[in-house]
Structures are given as C-alpha cells and as structure tokens.
Amino acid sequence: MKIIKKIALLLLLLIVILSAVIYIYLQSTKPQYEGEIAIKNISKNTEVYFDDYGIPHIYAVNQKEAQVVLGYVHAQDRLWQMELMRRIAAGRLSELFGNKVSKTDMFFAGLGIDENSENAIAQLDKNSPSYILANAYLDGINQYLENGKTPIEFTLLGLEKKPFTLKDVYNIFGYMSFSFAMAQKTDPLMTDIRANLGQNYLKDFGLDGSLGAVQIKSYNGKVADYSEIATQVASLLENSPVPAFIGSNSWVIGAQKTKKGKVIFANDPHIGFSQPCTWYEAHISCPDYEVYGYYLAGTPFPLLAHNRDYAYGLTMFENDDIDLFEEEVNPKNPNQYLYKNNFLEFKTRTKTIKVKDSADIVINTKESIHGPIMNGILNTISNKKPIAMSWIYTQQKNQILDAVYYLSHSKNVTDFRKNIELIHAPGLNIMYGDAQNNISWTAAGKLFKLPKNVNPNFILNGSNGEDDKKEFLDFSKNPSALNPKWNYVYSSNNQTEAVDGYLYPGYYLPKDRAMRIESFLVAKNDWTVSDVEKMLLDNTSTNAEKIAIQLVADLNTNDFSRLEKDAMYSLVNWDGQNELTTIQSVVYNKFIYRYLENTFQDELGKDKFSALLSTHIIKQIIESQTANQNSVWWDDVATKDKIETRREIFTKSFRQSIAELEKQLGSDLSKWTWNRVHTLEHNHPMGQIKMLAPFFNVGKFEVAGSNEVINNLMFGFPSNGIYEVKAGPSTRRIIDFSDVENSVSILPTGNSGNPMSKHYNDQAKMYNKGKFRKMKMNKQEIIKTSTKLVFKAK
C-alpha cells in the first residue's frame, strides 16, 4: 500500500512539474507589448502604442522606418499565419502537414503562381517607393525571425524559421486572387450538363445574364469527365487550411444623404473564417503620411484602409477571369498540340514537392499557350484530352505590388481611380469615399469581350483559334460610378449594368443582398453611424421570404399532419428574418436542400450534385427555377413511365424535411430555433487535433444571420440540418468623415494570432453580439489606453 501511495505521489509530482514547465513555456511565447526592443535599420526611436484591443499605433520619423517596425510587430502577432499564407500558392503545405495536403500542393504548384511571382519581381523598379517600402517591411519580419520568440505552432511542427522574401508577398496576393475565381468550379459542370443532358437542361441556369435582376448602375474528350475538375477544385479550396475570399458588401453614402453632411463609408469583406482571422489592423503615423489599415499576413500595404482624407475598401467583382480549353494532342507526338492548323510544343515545368515524413512528389506540368494542363495536377481527371486553364492573373503583366501601394498612397479621388487600372486580376469592386464629399465605385480587372458565338460558361475549343479571341477593353470601359446623382454607391457581388450593350460574363451572386441594401439606401436621407451599424447587422432576406411563399403555394396538403401544417403556416407568415430564435430559418433551409436534391441529383448523380452546390450559380437559380412550372428538372429520371411535376417534388421535399427535423429537434415546433443549428467556430489548423482544439480554436457560438442577408454568415447546403458557418464578414468597418477619429470596426476574433495573447479572441463575443469598437487615431486618446513599446536604433 505504501508503494502505491509513493507511486501516486511521484506521478502527481511529475504532473505538477510538467504542468509548471508547460505553463512557463507558454508564458514565454507571449507577444511583447511594452518595454524596449533594439532593432536595425531605424535611425531614431520609434514608439508603438498597443491599444486596448492590441492594435499597434506606430509613430515613426518616416515611412520606411515605420514599415520596418510594422513588419516586426506584425510578425510577433501573426508569424504562423504568415508562414501558412506564403506556402499555399508555392505548393509547400505538405512540408508542414504531410500527404493529406499534397493534392492541394500539386494543384497550386501546377498553376504557376510561384513562377509568375518571380517574373513580376524581375520587372520591378528597384527604386520605386513600393519596392523600397515592401523590403523595409520584410526586413522587420526577418529581424523578428532572427531575434523574436518562436510561435507555438513552429515548435509543435518542428518548423525551421526561414527569411521572408518579396516572392512570398506576391504568392500571398496570388492565392488571394485565385480564391476569388469561380469558373473552375462552374464551367466544367455546365459543359457536362450540356453534353450529357442537352441544352434544354441549361435554360434554368440563366447563362445569358438574365438572372442578374438587380444590377449595379454605372454612371459618368469524355464529357462526363469534365465535372471531375469542378469537384476536385471545390474540395481543395474548401479543405485548405488557408481561408478563401468569397464575397462582400460595401456602400458609400454621399453627403447629401447623411445627417451631418459628410460621407459615411461601410465595408465588410466576406472571407472564410479561420483562426487567426484574416486581417491585422495597424495604424501608422509619420510626418508626411498616415494610414489606418487592414493587412493580410505577410503583405506590406493594406487592402482596406482610411486616413483623415479618404477611405477605401473592396468587394469581389465576380467577373469571369478564368477559361478552360480542351486541347487536341498530335497523335504522332504527345509533346505537341494543335493550334490554328499547326502543331505547337507543350512547355514543361518540373517541380518537387517536399512531403513531411514521406517521399518527395515530382510533378511535371505541361503548358499550352492557354495555360497549365489540369490533367497533370488534378489527379481525378481521367479524360485523355488535355484541359488547359487560362487565367488573367498569370497571363497579363502582374503589377499587384504597385497597385496595392497606390491604393494607400493616393492624393485625391482622380489619382485613386487612375491607379486601379494596375489591377488585372482578381476582379474587384473598389469602393471610395473622402473628406471632400466624393464617393466612387470602380470595377478593377482586365476586362475583355469574346466573339458572340463563344460562351465562356463552358469548356472551350483550344485548337480552333476562335474561342480564345479576346478583345481586351480599355480601362475606361470598366463599370464605375463617380458622385452619382442618386448620392450613394454600393456593391454586394451582384452583376453590373451592361456597358456599350455588353454584359460582362461572371459568376455573380443573387439579388437578395443588393435588393436589401438598395432599399435601405433609397429610403433614408439622414444616415448616421448608428444607422449604418444596424444595417450591417441586418438579418432579413425579403427574397427568401418570397421564395418560401412560392414553395408552399404549390404543396399538396391533403394528408398533412398537424406538425406539417404548422411548419407550412410558419413559412407563410415568415418575414424573412434569421434571428437566434427564428423557427422559419430552420424549416426553410432544410426544405431548400431537399428541393435541390430531389430536383437535380437524379440527373447529375451525387458527386456532380455536390459540386453544383459549391458554386454561386446554384444560389442564383433558386428563385427563377422554383417559379418555372415547366422546368425539365422536375421529372425524376429514376422513375419509369412517370413524369414528376413541380408540386410532387415540392411536396416530397417538404415532407422529408419535416420528418427529418422532427427526428433531429423533436415534435415541438416552437423549439426548432435557429440558434440550435446555426453555429460558428473559428478553426485553427492545429485545432484539427482534438486534444489541441480547446487551446487553438475559438468558439462554438450560436449566431444569427444566414446566407445572402447583409449579415452574411454563410454555410453550404448540408443534408444533416446542421449549419456550420464557414464564412462571413471578415471585419465590419464604418468611417464617418464628420468625425473620423470616432470611426468604428470589429474583427471576428482578435488582432493577435498568438494563442497566449489576450488579444487572440477578445473581440469574438462582441462580434457575435453585433458590437463595434473605435478605430483610434487621436494620439492623446491612444496614449491613455495603451501599453508602450519603444523600438530603439541598434
């Protein structure tokens, strides 16, 4: 018995010692927010005040020294995130996570973003301010790498710290650009439907732009194999440890419509949720420059920002900047392909992917004049004919560094709009407002026209020399609005009006948010910041309300149970809100999924149906397709000697939905509330290990909002009735030019990516409750509420 007690005491002592060691180690990894640090390449002391939310306010003698310090403090809070971001486009995630991400690495390595970055850097002006300031920022990161603390994730993975370079910056922007694209998900599916089912089955998809009912106004081989491309690309992006950029809202209210007679700017870019969250906030103040910006990890200039003179932000344009081409191989020489009656040589790139705890993977990527051959980098493609991906980002001159620099260094609205021309891809809506009461919206991207007989919604013919005829348009043709007479501009990823009679092809989102935003902006002429806060948090979809009525109007209710009738009546009386206690959100979203499944899966099969659900186009067609009583999709091709009607599909789907919800949530309809099934968790890559999840992940939280409301907390179309939010507002920010120093914002979790920082998740509960905090710019106020870290010249 004494021996057992001694062993127990010894084990307890070991546990205490181990816990103490872990505690001391974790404490040692905390970011330093006060005191002094000596660094190189600054001439005078630089003061950094970290405010009550961990946002650094950097006061430096010049921009270059401010950038050195920015790189340092950014790295101490987000070095792990920087490491992830620089690896994905280069195809280097397998070095961290092993074979499970090797397919992702093969895909991105094959795209050629890494090589494009090298080419772009070789053409840079080494004396340009963008080049000099970007390298100063990288110097700060690398000084932290050399002298700062090692992130916990680096220790757990045994990761060696290696210097950051300008190519890493370009690769990060390259990944961001690709994650905006939708053609690689959509075009193969549309081609597959046309080939296997016929043109008649495409009528509901509105490929002529007819579904873009609310448009932004300007002012001044084996066909069945094609779907494998869409399926695998969707899977790679959804399972990536780096969040994808998805959509956004933004609006700028002119002085004539605000209570205080000055512009109010609002923006909430929609991005996949992750931990750390996407943006790092920082405020720089120099004698000749000031900016309060939102930075991607590892990038030197903010994509969203404001100062006392102007504010800018972005949403995704959703234009089509990727085309897929089927190439014709020379039957006598597999290294050649046919183009305009001549055989050309494929170019070949060889790249080695290092895989943790496994053998290296060597990929040989062929390229035609259209781009990389997907067959070699997506291993599910069994079609023998090569499919090439043509992407504007890698086909046109890459000037992204200069473009982003000029966004935050413009002199006035004219200067700002002029420099947007440097952005060839991704397609963006750049929103602007200033202290001089100018407002503007400009579509960024290298736009082009195709011949009338070429439909870019399908895989194109790579050999005829006709399908790739692009008439690139002058930047003056890009949709835009400057100080329109209606006194506001907005964007919610909806289609723009035709310019010169031409509708730009793209993968635009439904009209729900656009309708709601415009209805608010039109109706009111005395806007305040408080009003805009409420608008950003709006959870109502008048379009979903309309669709719900449309669905229940065609139900066969003859033998409905009491529960089925009550659920149906709840939809009839729904006002489109998606609050925590809303019942109709649960019924509606379950009903929508079963309707989609019963309508499309019998023709497409399970895998292609799943791929379709990952596209924007499926959201676009719900309203019009459910209204089309004669749609060919209503017939269930699995039944013989019978043609199903819309009423039969709706009734079957509704009854399935109610039966499943009763099993999931019980027979009391009043308890089918949205908060029980709609949740948000911010997942860290290390949180996939169950034991580490409580330490690294943030949440779960019950949340309001839904798909395609202004408060766009997005989820897929799950069959199990559990709506795990995958993406949403990556920040909510409002700049009021009547009182810039009291402008407000919020992040989904916190400004630090270090789990031991008190700013790792200090905004999470505020974000979910719809609260905001100040973006401080008044130095005296900042000093009173901040810790002080002084960088001294070494």
Side-chain angles (χ1 to χ4, degrees), residues 422-434:
L422 297 173
I423 302 172
H424 292 157
L428 300 170
N429 293 301
I430 309 289
M431 313 298 290
Y432 175 96
D434 68 26

Side-chain angles (χ1 to χ4, degrees), residues 214-220 441 479-482 484-486 488-490 494-499 518 522:
V214 179
Q215 298 174 347
I216 308 174
K217 294 181 285 186
S218 289
Y219 199 79
N220 150 312
W441 150 71
S480 66
L482 172 64
K485 61 184 179 182
W486 46 89
Y488 62 84
V489 291
Y490 80 94
N494 51 314
Q495 190 168 38
T496 63
E497 281 186 336
V499 177
E518 189 155 35
V522 167

Side-chain angles (χ1 to χ4, degrees), residues 659-696:
E660 290 168 8
L661 287 171
E662 183 177 17
K663 186 176 180 180
Q664 178 186 350
L665 301 173
S667 56
D668 185 349
L669 181 67
S670 68
K671 294 181 179 178
W672 292 8
T673 52
W674 193 222
N675 64 304
R676 292 183 66 186
V677 297
H678 190 237
T679 60
L680 168 60
E681 182 174 10
H682 303 274
N683 293 304
H684 188 288
M686 302 302 292
Q688 293 182 23
I689 301 170
K690 195 171 183 179
M691 182 176 66
L692 298 177
F695 181 72
F696 285 106

Side-chain angles (χ1 to χ4, degrees), residues 236-475:
L236 291 175
L237 290 174
E238 287 165 10
N239 294 312
S240 167
V242 180
F245 291 65
I246 298 170
S248 306
N249 299 313
S250 185
W251 55 89
V252 192
I253 306 173
Q256 298 88 339
K257 291 182 73 68
T258 65
K259 190 170 185 178
K260 294 185 177 180
K262 299 297 286 186
V263 166
I264 297 178
F265 179 100
N267 189 205
D268 66 341
H270 302 156
I271 300 174
F273 285 124
S274 64
Q275 184 60 4
C277 62
T278 298
W279 303 111
Y280 183 73
E281 285 185 50
H283 171 214
I284 290 174
S285 181
C286 307
D288 65 339
Y289 180 72
E290 184 175 30
V291 70
Y292 190 112
Y294 287 68
Y295 298 80
L296 291 180
T299 64
F301 308 120
L303 285 177
L304 322 172
H306 74 280
N307 54 31
R308 297 171 198 276
D309 298 319
Y310 71 98
Y312 65 90
L314 57 84
T315 74
M316 291 61 171
F317 184 20
E318 307 291 0
N319 61 304
D320 186 1
D321 59 10
I322 286 180
D323 289 312
L324 299 173
F325 290 87
E326 183 177 81
E327 309 289 11
E328 189 77 35
V329 175
N330 184 350
K332 297 179 181 179
N333 185 348
N335 296 316
Q336 294 181 336
Y337 62 98
L338 183 65
Y339 184 68
K340 293 183 178 179
N341 297 317
N342 294 303
F343 286 111
L344 306 179
E345 295 283 335
F346 284 112
K347 293 180 181 178
T348 303
R349 285 187 285 111
T350 300
K351 194 153 191 172
T352 300
I353 295 172
K354 301 286 185 183
V355 183
K356 184 178 181 180
D357 300 327
S358 188
D360 294 350
I361 298 173
V362 178
I363 60 169
N364 295 300
T365 304
K366 287 183 174 181
E367 284 190 12
S368 71
I369 60 168
H370 299 114
I373 302 302
M374 304 295 288
N375 307 58
I377 58 179
L378 292 177
N379 57 12
T380 59
I381 302 177
S382 56
N383 186 25
K384 291 182 179 179
K385 287 193 174 183
I387 306 296
M389 179 182 286
S390 177
W391 181 24
I392 291 292
Y393 184 86
T394 53
Q395 296 276 347
Q396 295 289 311
K397 185 178 181 181
N398 186 342
Q399 302 177 87
I400 193 69
L401 187 70
D402 283 341
V404 178
Y405 166 81
Y406 283 118
L407 289 178
S408 59
H409 288 80
S410 293
K411 299 170 185 173
N412 50 49
V413 64
T414 304
D415 188 43
F416 182 88
R417 284 161 61 88
K418 176 188 70 176
N419 290 309
I420 291 172
E421 185 175 1
L422 297 173
I423 302 172
H424 292 157
L428 300 170
N429 293 301
I430 309 289
M431 313 298 290
Y432 175 96
D434 68 26
Q436 304 304 313
N437 287 339
N438 295 297
I439 64 174
S440 88
W441 150 71
T442 308
K446 191 69 173 174
L447 302 183
F448 55 85
K449 281 186 179 180
L450 293 170
K452 290 183 178 179
N453 63 324
V454 176
N455 191 330
N457 293 289
F458 304 104
I459 292 178
L460 303 174
N461 186 320
S463 59
N464 63 13
E466 296 293 327
D467 286 13
D468 59 359
K469 281 184 177 177
K470 290 182 173 72
E471 178 193 343
F472 285 102
L473 305 177
D474 186 80
F475 180 66

Side-chain angles (χ1 to χ4, degrees), residues 519-657:
S519 70
F520 279 130
L521 294 176
V522 167
K524 191 173 176 63
N525 292 303
D526 58 348
W527 284 93
T528 65
V529 168
S530 178
D531 296 328
V532 177
E533 286 180 3
K534 292 173 185 175
M535 185 171 165
L536 278 168
L537 298 166
D538 182 72
N539 293 319
T540 299
S541 172
T542 53
N543 208 45
E545 176 188 359
K546 176 184 174 183
I547 293 169
I549 295 294
Q550 199 163 270
L551 289 166
V552 300
D554 205 17
L555 292 176
N556 181 352
T557 63
N558 287 341
D559 55 350
F560 268 22
S561 68
R562 181 75 262 163
L563 181 60
E564 288 170 331
K565 288 180 179 178
D566 288 345
M568 181 188 70
Y569 290 135
S570 76
L571 288 180
V572 170
N573 296 314
W574 187 29
D575 58 5
Q577 289 191 27
N578 296 272
E579 305 297 342
L580 290 171
T581 57
T582 302
I583 294 167
Q584 293 94 332
S585 304
V586 179
V587 178
Y588 175 77
N589 282 288
K590 187 69 171 181
F591 190 4
I592 287 291
Y593 174 79
R594 287 302 171 200
Y595 136 69
L596 290 171
E597 179 186 54
N598 290 325
T599 302
F600 295 102
Q601 185 167 290
D602 55 304
E603 286 91 353
L604 297 178
K606 188 174 181 180
D607 289 343
K608 293 172 193 174
F609 173 65
S610 179
L612 181 64
L613 294 183
S614 72
T615 67
H616 289 341
I617 202 168
I618 193 65
K619 296 178 183 179
Q620 275 269 31
I621 71 170
I622 289 173
E623 181 187 3
S624 60
Q625 201 274 333
T626 52
N628 181 8
Q629 189 171 354
N630 299 316
S631 172
V632 294
W633 292 97
W634 298 131
D635 180 38
D636 183 352
V637 297
T639 60
K640 305 300 180 185
D641 303 320
K642 177 175 172 55
I643 296 177
E644 280 75 16
T645 64
R646 181 180 66 175
R647 170 168 286 198
E648 288 173 305
I649 295 299
F650 281 2
T651 304
K652 175 184 176 181
S653 302
F654 184 78
R655 302 198 76 175
Q656 282 179 331
S657 300

